Amino acid sequence: MKLLELGDMNADSLTDMLKASFSLHNWTAMIEIADKLFGTVAVIHGTSSQGIEARGLRRSLAYYFGFSLCAKGIALQKMGNYARARECISKYSDLSWTRLDDEESLSEIEFYKSTAIANAYVIEILEGNTKVLPEYVEFLKVCDREELTAGLMNILDSALKFSYSVDWALEELQRDVEKVSAESPEVDVRYYIDFVYLLSVYLYKRGKTVHAINLALENIVLSSKLGDGTGFQKAIAFYELVRADASADQQQEYHYIMKKIIEREFNDEKEAFVVDNRIAD
């Protein structure tokens, strides 16, 4: 069932919509937009070898083919449809079928080949195949910060779902995770705060209660400071679930944190009220 009015939107607009849908975790919309994007560039590819220049596209056609298939695969993965996600991975793991051989296209083909390897590992990990974990850890060691943090989240997701220890993997990878600040890109903030949340849950499940609750408290402070509402709510919810296991010092720290947050919010509202009155005057 088609839910979106995509009409005659061009490839670049559809690409932007895909990115927005990913940020909103709208997996159903991602699949529909990805299919539309793939069909759009397939028409261009089939009718003109000079499609990029003629249609005013920002990137090589190989990019749009790879991006549409990759985005659809990720959406299917998020929905738990691993079989169909694998089909997408298979298609963008080798984009030589596009028969595009200019320098930019060859670069995109190589990029999506590497991306397919990473996402194939992810599927295996999320299905609980621990045999590939050592290979995945080695792969993550040479990845950039965003990929490393996302990879650790996949590992923690799997460990929590299938109840097995990944302490050794955390020891090898966690030290390379960079903390975020107010200057960090929003996507890095989101990934890092979700990583800390999953890590606190994992540590709690492994019986490391003190460390888990301390992490949750740190995450409450960080997510509040950086304005990550989703992360803040999850950190609060986790703390409330394990509050009975918190020490007296931790409960006092939680009370202090919440008091400071309320005071800050009150002061912000007070300042906004003064500014509004000055404008009105």
Side-chain angles (χ1 to χ4, degrees), residues 140-172:
L140 291 174
K141 285 181 180 179
V142 297
C143 289
D144 59 25
R145 180 174 66 180
E146 185 178 326
E147 185 68 37
L148 172 60
T149 308
L152 277 166
M153 287 194 290
N154 291 326
I155 291 171
L156 288 168
D157 269 334
S158 179
L160 289 168
K161 181 178 179 181
F162 297 102
S163 301
Y164 65 92
S165 173
V166 291
D167 289 356
W168 69 270
L170 291 171
E171 289 176 7
E172 292 197 30

Side-chain angles (χ1 to χ4, degrees), residues 14-26:
L14 290 167
T15 298
D16 291 340
M17 284 188 70
L18 265 179
K19 293 176 181 177
S21 297
F22 177 78
S23 298
L24 296 171
H25 293 187
N26 192 339

Side-chain angles (χ1 to χ4, degrees), residues 100-269:
L100 298 166
D101 56 6
D102 59 281
E103 184 176 348
E104 184 182 354
S105 295
L106 291 176
S107 177
E108 294 292 351
I109 289 170
E110 190 61 30
F111 171 80
Y112 282 105
K113 179 180 179 180
S114 175
T115 301
I117 293 172
N119 288 340
Y121 278 132
V122 171
I123 297 295
E124 294 293 331
I125 293 296
L126 293 177
E127 286 185 325
N129 181 2
T130 58
K131 291 181 180 180
V132 304
L133 187 55
E135 296 175 42
Y136 189 44
V137 168
E138 290 302 313
F139 177 85
L140 291 174
K141 285 181 180 179
V142 297
C143 289
D144 59 25
R145 180 174 66 180
E146 185 178 326
E147 185 68 37
L148 172 60
T149 308
L152 277 166
M153 287 194 290
N154 291 326
I155 291 171
L156 288 168
D157 269 334
S158 179
L160 289 168
K161 181 178 179 181
F162 297 102
S163 301
Y164 65 92
S165 173
V166 291
D167 289 356
W168 69 270
L170 291 171
E171 289 176 7
E172 292 197 30
L173 297 173
Q174 191 177 342
R175 62 179 174 269
D176 293 323
V177 175
E178 295 183 36
K179 290 188 176 182
V180 292
S181 66
E183 288 72 40
S184 300
E186 184 177 347
V187 65
D188 289 348
V189 171
R190 188 84 281 284
Y191 274 31
Y192 182 81
I193 289 175
D194 264 359
F195 162 66
V196 176
Y197 165 75
L198 286 173
L199 181 59
S200 61
V201 176
Y202 170 79
L203 291 173
Y204 183 78
K205 295 285 188 181
R206 301 296 297 176
K208 300 176 182 179
T209 307
V210 175
H211 191 183
I213 295 176
N214 282 339
L215 267 183
L217 292 172
E218 290 176 18
N219 219 19
I220 291 170
V221 174
L222 184 62
S223 57
S224 172
K225 180 180 178 181
L226 299 183
D228 186 342
T230 300
F232 180 74
Q233 291 174 10
K234 290 165 72 173
I236 290 285
F238 174 68
Y239 177 83
E240 291 297 337
L241 283 174
V242 302
R243 179 197 283 268
D245 294 319
S247 67
D249 286 344
Q250 287 173 326
Q251 292 190 39
Q252 185 176 355
E253 178 68 13
Y254 177 70
H255 177 77
Y256 174 79
I257 291 169
M258 299 310 294
K259 181 173 179 290
K260 286 296 182 182
I261 290 173
I262 291 171
E263 288 176 352
R264 188 182 68 210
E265 291 295 325
F266 174 77
N267 288 332
D268 288 346
E269 290 181 7

